[in-house]
Amino acid sequence: MKQSEHNRKLRLLFWESTILCNLSCAHCRRVEDDQAVDTDMTTAQAKQLIEQLAELGKQQYFMPILVFSGGEPLCRGDIFELIGYTKQKGLLCALATNGTLIDSDIAEKIKNAGVERVSVSLDGTTSEVHNKLRKLEGSFEAAISGIKCLRESDVPFQINMTITRYNAHQLDDIFVLAENLGAVAVHLFMLVPVGCGEEFAAEDMLSADEYEQLLERVAKKEHCGRIEIKVTCGPHYERVVRENKLTSSNGSAGHPHANQCPGAHPGPKHGLMSKGCLAGSGVLFVGHSGQVFPCGYLPIDCGNILQIPLSQIWANSAALAKMRDTQQLKGKCGVCGYRTVCGGCRARAFAATGDYMEAEPMCRYIPPGLKQQHVKGSL
């Protein structure tokens, strides 16, 4: 099967199940506030989404995973009814939460509903750091308490951490904390400046060089294999992993023109090749009112599932088709030998330039071809 066909398989659908949230985090992707709750999809409409996702899954050789996100999904009164309906339709489901609303009763409901995994956001390993980003005193303690309830109920959970200058110094600590709490994974998110994240000043965000150094540290951590590690919204991690792998295997820095093809690093799920940015090619985001976007950080409207079936949006959206075509990437991303396994973050490109096909602004890598052009131009 061709790689382009692999890229057309939907792996994950993130659904903003409600705009409601009990926190107001500094880096949240939400644009609307709680007042927009009247435009949340009804129970019946939400079930339409689930049915449409199941139908799309039947056209693939595996079923997508539905991630109940938000807002805070536990603020939605019918959340467990909808999780049950998801399971009934043959879909796997996960829950993305801030953890503060989870007590022993909620943890048991999550377990009994059949949620495969819960992700809990921790943006620091201390209350001082976490609470500053979450803008609520006691939110760290409440999240830790929720995690412990999940563990006691034998619900698999992972820790999500959005990396900023406030918490980058706690990178090593988050792995230790996650292991001590019994997490199955740590997912690290590189900040995308949208929604509330637009308020972050430049000095609060890591530079391209600092991100590169951080990703190199993460690659070494992942190599140890003590806990599952995934980098989200940091597609150039795929290049860093390959470069580190080549360096360790033959003692020379890896690059797209070395003996090993950069696409030779296999992904762990469904036998698919690993790829950095999956927005629009392996991932979709459905907003609380039914609008479909390539991901939760890229506000490119691809249609509404209440008006156009999800499978048609997936197959026919011009915006999605453009994003899947790495030949249309611009700037250094367009000439990079890693573009098929990295692709750059389309959301950060959009936030920086207004064009989601432009170069990833937080990547310091200079493709060899671009270096040669620069040298020739300076002669």
Side-chain angles (χ1 to χ4, degrees), residues 22 31 40 68 84 121 139 149 199 235 262-263 272 283 286 289 334-335 355:
N22 60 320
V31 176
D40 277 359
F68 288 83
S121 298
S139 59
C149 289
E199 299 175 8
L272 299 178
V283 166
V286 176
S289 58
V335 297
D355 184 347

Side-chain angles (χ1 to χ4, degrees), residues 240-261:
V240 171
V241 167
R242 287 162 175 77
E243 289 180 327
N244 276 271
K245 187 174 183 180
L246 287 173
T247 300
S248 62
S249 64
N250 61 24
S252 61
H255 55 77
H257 308 287
N259 293 331
Q260 180 174 337
C261 170

Side-chain angles (χ1 to χ4, degrees), residues 89-363:
K89 291 298 178 180
L91 294 163
L92 298 178
C93 63
L95 181 69
T97 173
N98 60 45
T100 62
L101 300 179
I102 299 176
D103 56 21
S104 57
D105 289 339
I106 294 295
E108 280 298 304
K109 287 183 179 180
I110 292 171
K111 178 182 179 180
N112 295 333
V115 173
E116 298 293 325
R117 185 185 292 188
V118 176
S119 65
V120 180
S121 298
L122 284 183
D123 291 313
T125 59
T126 60
S127 59
E128 178 184 8
V129 174
H130 178 87
N131 293 348
K132 181 176 182 178
L133 286 166
R134 295 281 153 175
K135 294 186 177 181
L136 180 67
E137 288 301 316
S139 59
F140 178 76
E141 293 78 5
I144 294 295
S145 175
I147 287 172
K148 290 179 178 178
C149 289
L150 291 172
R151 183 180 63 192
E152 291 169 2
S153 293
D154 294 322
V155 177
F157 65 90
Q158 69 185 47
I159 303 299
N160 288 357
M161 183 178 185
T162 299
I163 303 294
T164 68
R165 195 173 297 283
Y166 294 122
N167 60 17
H169 65 286
Q170 294 187 333
L171 179 65
D172 292 334
D173 296 335
I174 197 67
F175 296 115
V176 174
L177 178 61
E179 288 189 42
N180 290 339
L181 289 171
V184 297
V186 172
H187 286 204
L188 301 171
F189 287 68
M190 288 176 61
L191 180 67
V192 181
V194 298
C196 297
E198 290 181 305
E199 299 175 8
F200 270 75
E203 59 267 24
D204 298 327
M205 299 175 61
L206 298 180
S207 67
D209 283 344
E210 289 171 320
Y211 265 128
E212 186 83 4
Q213 294 166 15
L214 183 141
L215 294 177
E216 289 173 352
R217 289 172 59 193
V218 173
K220 293 176 182 178
K221 286 282 186 182
E222 184 181 24
H223 183 69
C224 295
R226 294 176 62 182
I227 192 170
E228 177 194 316
I229 299 173
K230 184 177 184 297
V231 176
T232 299
C233 299
H236 30 307
Y237 182 64
E238 295 299 327
R239 168 184 54 79
V240 171
V241 167
R242 287 162 175 77
E243 289 180 327
N244 276 271
K245 187 174 183 180
L246 287 173
T247 300
S248 62
S249 64
N250 61 24
S252 61
H255 55 77
H257 308 287
N259 293 331
Q260 180 174 337
C261 170
H265 182 63
K269 293 182 179 180
H270 310 311
L272 299 178
M273 302 294 257
S274 180
K275 183 176 183 294
C277 182
L278 291 172
S281 61
V283 166
L284 281 182
F285 181 88
V286 176
H288 68 108
S289 58
Q291 296 300 128
V292 177
F293 305 97
C295 80
Y297 301 101
L298 183 52
I300 302 298
D301 190 348
C302 299
N304 191 304
I305 64 99
L306 301 180
Q307 301 165 355
I308 307 171
L310 183 65
S311 59
Q312 290 186 25
I313 294 174
W314 180 249
N316 302 326
S317 167
L320 295 180
K322 186 176 182 180
M323 291 188 67
R324 293 165 183 155
D325 185 3
T326 59
Q327 297 298 321
Q328 294 195 50
L329 290 173
K330 301 177 182 178
K332 67 178 184 180
C333 285
V335 297
C336 183
Y338 288 102
R339 66 179 179 270
T340 60
V341 295
C342 169
C345 177
R346 299 300 97 220
R348 268 196 298 274
F350 182 79
T353 69
D355 184 347
Y356 58 86
M357 298 304 287
E358 270 293 351
E360 155 73 70
M362 297 304 294
C363 176

